[in-house]
Every structure is written in structure tokens, then in C-alpha cells.
Amino acid sequence: MSAREAVVTQTRAGLARPGGFILWFTGMSGAGKSTLSMAVRRRLEGAHSVEVIDGDEVRAFLSRGLGFTRPDREENIRRIGYVARVLAKHRVAVISAAISPYRESRDEVRRLATEAGIPFIEVYARASLESLVQRDVKGLYKKALAGEISHFTGISDPYEPPESPEVTVRTDSETVEAGVERILTALRERGLIARS
């Protein structure tokens, strides 16, 4: 099945139903992935079945016991990717909001989705380190910069930005509404949601 064929399926009554896809948010901690994903979810609900897979919730339930070494982080992303593919095959618009720091892991999720005929759209929530430190109410960046937290993405552990995401949202200079609209435009251009 091609990605285009996966976009729209036919019911027994012959009515078009929207197909599933994976909208994969990546970005450093505090970059706005969850904020954007929830805003996109609100815009899609009603016309689509939508599920948000939040990185923190996955850590609490699906990936409990995994640490923050590279192998554990990669396994966490594999699990999220698997759940996302299962849901998307059942015509769910899946929104993943996890840091997913390693390019190779994200590319693997994309490849497996594509091989299964599931459209995959990567959204990079990008913000400067200075803005992330300023908006960090928990003070985690300051602690990481002071060496008090190990394996902190972007400080003591790497974050590999995507090389060619479908959408980049500059969350330190762009409003949530503007970012959401560009994401929805990307979905419309690919025929994944109806044009308004």
C-alpha cells in the first residue's frame, strides 16, 4: 500500500474516511513539543481519531526501567515508533512528542513507517539554548550546566537536530498559533487532512 493509498480508506458505505499518519515532534527539553502537539490535536479532533504519545508518559508506563544511556534512549524511541505504527494502521492520526535526540533512531522510525505505507512527518521544535534556560521553570538546564545532572540532552548528552524535517517551528520567536498553522498546512499539502 502506498502512502497516498493509506491516506484515505473506504468504508462499506463507500464514504471516504481519513487515513492514519505519524506526526513526529522532536526537539530539546522545553522546546515546546507538548504545547504544539496538544494544539495540533485540538485542531484535528472531530475530523480524525487522534492520539498523542507523550515522551514523559511513555517513560512512566511503557518504558519504565529504561535509563538515559544511548541504547536505552534508542529503545524508548523504538517502542514509541512501534505503538505509533500500530495506531496509524488503524487510521489514527498519531502525534509523538518526545525529545528523540538521535537522528539514527528517528530515521529508523521513519523508514519503518514508510515501509508500512504510513505517512511520516517530522516537526522540529527549535529554540536557542538561552531561551530554553530562561523558560525552564524547574531549573533543570541550570543544574545540568552546573554539572548537577548527568545525561541531560543538549548539555551533557548530544541532541542531533534533524537535517531535513518537513516543518521547523522556531518556538523562541514564533507564536504557537503560527507554528500550528504551518504544521496543518504541511498536512494539507500532503493530502493527510482536508483543506479548510
Side-chain angles (χ1 to χ4, degrees), residues 9 17 19 27 38 60 62 102 124 137 140 155 187 196:
T9 58
R17 292 182 62 192
M38 296 310 292
L62 185 64
Y102 299 112
Y124 176 26
V137 294
L140 298 177
I155 306 297
L187 295 175
S196 53

Side-chain angles (χ1 to χ4, degrees), residues 82-157:
Y82 173 76
V83 172
R85 289 193 306 278
V86 169
L87 289 169
K89 285 179 185 177
H90 289 86
R91 298 192 292 267
V92 175
V94 182
I95 302 171
S96 169
I99 293 173
S100 46
Y102 299 112
R103 193 176 297 123
E104 185 178 357
S105 299
R106 295 191 306 266
D107 289 347
E108 178 184 350
V109 173
R110 179 191 290 272
R111 178 181 57 77
L112 292 171
T114 302
E115 288 174 359
I118 299 167
F120 183 95
I121 297 86
E122 187 174 46
V123 178
Y124 176 26
R126 182 178 175 191
S128 69
L129 179 59
E130 180 182 37
S131 69
L132 294 174
V133 171
Q134 288 175 352
R135 70 170 69 157
D136 178 21
V137 294
K138 296 180 181 177
L140 298 177
Y141 276 98
K142 288 181 181 176
K143 289 180 181 177
L145 287 165
E148 297 172 21
I149 301 176
S150 60
H151 299 293
F152 194 88
T153 301
I155 306 297
S156 51
D157 261 9

